[in-house]
Amino acid sequence: MEEGGGAIFAPGRPDEVTAAVRSALEEGWRLELVGGGSKRGLGGPVTATHRLDLSALSGIHLYEPEELVMTAGPATPLVEIEAALAAEGQQLAFEPPDPGPLWGGQPGRGTIGGVFACNLSGPRRVKAGAARDHLLGVKAVSGHGEAFKAGGRVVKNVTGYDLCKLLAGSYGTLAALTEVTFKVLPAAAKTRTLLLFGLTDEAAGRVLIEAATSPHDPSGLAHLPAALASLSAVSYVTQEQTSVTAIRLEGPAPSVEVRLAALKAGLGAGRPMAELHGHNSGLLWREIGDVHRFLGGIGLEGDGTLWRLSVPPASGPGVTARLAAAGVMGARWYYDWGGGLIWLALPGGDPQAQAVRGVIASCGGHATLVRASRAARAALPVFQPQPAAEAALALRVKESFDPRHILNPGRLVADG
């Protein structure tokens, strides 16, 4: 098939993926790897000549609920994975988001391979860890055109290099995944979210850190300024028409009740508050993780900018205050991960990268340009620029897997 002058390879089996990569090597082609296509706007513009469509590598190959393990093709829809787990009372503990609508896509089109390739984790990361921490094994094809496998079906199966963690977050620039094996966990018996109303960013930051360091084991810690809280579909969040600080507790029912009472008596004492139960709690944290509900409406025509800022949690409110002082105009933001993750949206086509990254440099964090025009993503480093030594190491890793830079060129770094 032809599209835009380049062929689309659509292998139906892993060995056909190997054959396609070898053909690309022989002909000097560069390949864009696509599964569900929901995250093609994430990262730098890919400068490929042909497309490797992996969408046929779909389906759950193995699921052993009693062993807490699942194996699937990389293009298996995330909604299919989550439905199978929910039927057994289990879940992906790292709570993968569905960011596709941020780039104009339809919800529910993300794939399990895309989640691991981009290392996408939701609000529960503060407790469960990142997506890469749940990836047990992979089968893949390198840029050498060689099929390989790494890891297995248990958490500790080999010693030496952990290639699974290396591939997670590589955005398809090291290898084309053909199968993933990952651990799953039981879903919580009970979920409650405590809402505190009217806190400033600074006060909310202190409350979230206190909750995070308490013995109450929260699994979600977020703060929504009033303008964004008003956009939630959860009426309890919008009822006070003010800022909302959310703390989620999960686990056995008696444990959740005791911990919630302690939080109310401590952090909630003397403050307006409310409590969300299962359905509304799940809806709010889905909104927080997916981002689109709160910040997707800024520049929907394609000229808006979205940054993902990772900072020390205690620095979160100070970072946004310094952004305002630095002249970053029209900004809207909210906090996740106890203040350690800031979602920052700017209207218009200027990402204001110099100001944003200048502020981030002062606290030791990093800034990722999640959504911007193609021209802006081509002109700017989408990911935080690395120090020279780290960049040199990353290049050596890239060339050990893909010496001719044929896999997703330009996705992580400018790659002529």
Side-chain angles (χ1 to χ4, degrees), residues 204-242:
R206 293 191 294 270
V207 165
L208 292 178
I209 289 175
E210 185 175 349
T213 56
S214 75
H216 305 312
D217 196 25
S219 64
L221 298 160
H223 175 70
L224 301 168
L228 298 186
S230 67
L231 302 176
S232 175
V234 181
S235 61
Y236 291 95
V237 174
T238 61
Q239 66 185 2
E240 298 291 328
Q241 299 183 350
T242 187

Side-chain angles (χ1 to χ4, degrees), residues 303-318:
D303 61 352
T305 300
L306 180 66
W307 288 93
R308 180 182 184 274
L309 312 181
S310 180
V311 301
S315 301

Side-chain angles (χ1 to χ4, degrees), residues 386-400:
Q386 296 174 307
E390 293 180 16
L393 176 59
L395 179 59
R396 291 199 298 273
V397 171
K398 166 69 172 174
E399 294 188 337
S400 69

Side-chain angles (χ1 to χ4, degrees), residues 4-326:
I8 300 177
F9 297 102
R13 304 188 309 270
D15 62 306
E16 293 177 348
V17 177
T18 304
V21 174
R22 288 178 179 173
S23 294
L25 278 170
E26 293 170 1
E27 300 294 337
W29 297 329
R30 312 179 95 191
L31 300 174
E32 179 189 16
L33 278 56
V34 177
S38 65
K39 307 173 192 67
R40 295 179 75 189
L42 179 58
V46 175
T47 56
T49 57
H50 296 65
R51 186 187 305 173
L52 182 58
D53 182 347
L54 303 172
S55 59
L57 303 182
S58 180
I60 296 172
H61 302 164
L62 174 145
Y63 178 30
E64 296 181 352
E66 65 282 0
E67 298 295 334
L68 302 176
V69 64
M70 179 179 282
T71 298
T76 309
L78 189 58
V79 292
E80 181 180 334
I81 298 285
E82 291 178 329
L85 294 175
E88 297 291 338
Q90 297 182 341
Q91 65 181 357
L92 294 170
F94 58 93
E95 203 170 8
D98 180 13
L102 288 172
W103 302 286
Q106 295 296 314
R109 292 192 56 194
T111 63
I112 190 65
V115 164
F116 285 118
C118 300
N119 193 34
L120 298 180
S121 309
R124 202 180 286 112
R125 187 186 190 282
V126 293
K127 179 178 180 179
R132 62 164 45 98
D133 299 315
H134 298 253
L135 184 59
L136 300 177
V138 299
K139 292 182 180 178
V141 178
S142 73
H144 293 276
E146 297 174 346
F148 69 94
K149 61 181 179 179
R153 289 173 49 194
V154 294
V155 175
K156 294 183 178 180
N157 55 348
V158 294
T159 57
Y161 296 112
D162 191 342
L163 294 185
C164 294
K165 284 188 170 58
L166 184 64
L167 294 175
S170 66
Y171 289 78
T173 62
L174 300 181
L177 298 177
T178 58
E179 186 177 85
V180 291
T181 298
F182 45 95
K183 66 179 177 180
V184 302
L185 289 174
K190 189 169 188 176
T191 300
R192 293 289 184 270
T193 296
L194 177 64
L195 305 179
L196 304 177
F197 298 106
L199 299 182
T200 64
D201 286 8
E202 293 76 13
R206 293 191 294 270
V207 165
L208 292 178
I209 289 175
E210 185 175 349
T213 56
S214 75
H216 305 312
D217 196 25
S219 64
L221 298 160
H223 175 70
L224 301 168
L228 298 186
S230 67
L231 302 176
S232 175
V234 181
S235 61
Y236 291 95
V237 174
T238 61
Q239 66 185 2
E240 298 291 328
Q241 299 183 350
T242 187
S243 67
V244 174
T245 306
I247 304 170
R248 179 175 59 185
L249 301 176
E250 296 177 300
S255 171
V256 170
E257 294 294 350
V258 169
R259 288 181 285 142
L260 182 62
L263 277 179
K264 287 181 175 179
L267 300 180
R271 294 188 171 109
M273 59 182 172
E275 177 185 326
L276 299 183
H277 291 211
H279 173 75
N280 283 326
S281 183
L283 178 55
L284 173 62
W285 291 102
R286 173 60 71 180
E287 293 175 342
I288 291 170
D290 290 350
V291 184
H292 184 263
R293 179 87 188 189
F294 297 125
L295 297 177
I298 296 180
L300 273 179
E301 294 76 20
D303 61 352
T305 300
L306 180 66
W307 288 93
R308 180 182 184 274
L309 312 181
S310 180
V311 301
S315 301
V319 165
T320 51
R322 286 195 292 275
L323 286 170

